[in-house]
Amino acid sequence: MAAYHVPSVNHADSAALCVLFDVLTDTPSGRLHKALVETQLAAATGGGSDGLRDAGLANVIAVVPTGGDATKTEAPPSRSWYSTSLAEAVG
């Protein structure tokens, strides 16, 4: 699991962060799902944001499969998993 500080839901960047997390965490088309689940480095992925009036946290999670290697799951993926354009990712 990784967590990141995010601004309040009323902040100007909030909408862009929502799109970012949808692109990353959607199943089955999300970037994390494709990079980790489809390559069998993770059994599942997910994430979300607090979406609160005050600043909070957004998190992403990858569930390591039984017998899996957490070190490989945590390793930065190759550039290919995010080289697709945003239009292709959400389209």
Side-chain angles (χ1 to χ4, degrees):
M1 179 187 338
Y4 303 92
H5 290 277
V6 293
S8 75
V9 73
N10 297 323
H11 191 276
D13 292 339
S14 182
L17 289 169
C18 283
V19 171
L20 171 65
F21 273 88
D22 283 345
V23 169
L24 287 175
T25 63
D26 186 62
T27 301
S29 64
R31 304 286 176 94
L32 290 174
H33 181 86
K34 289 186 175 294
L36 299 175
V37 177
E38 290 181 6
T39 60
Q40 299 180 345
L41 291 173
T45 59
S49 176
D50 292 338
L52 302 174
R53 181 184 63 173
D54 296 322
L57 292 175
N59 62 70
V60 292
I61 187 168
V63 179
V64 179
T66 303
D69 185 350
T71 304
K72 288 182 180 177
T73 302
E74 291 175 348
S78 68
R79 288 186 56 87
S80 65
W81 76 278
Y82 62 85
S83 63
T84 309
S85 73
L86 181 59
E88 292 172 320
V90 297

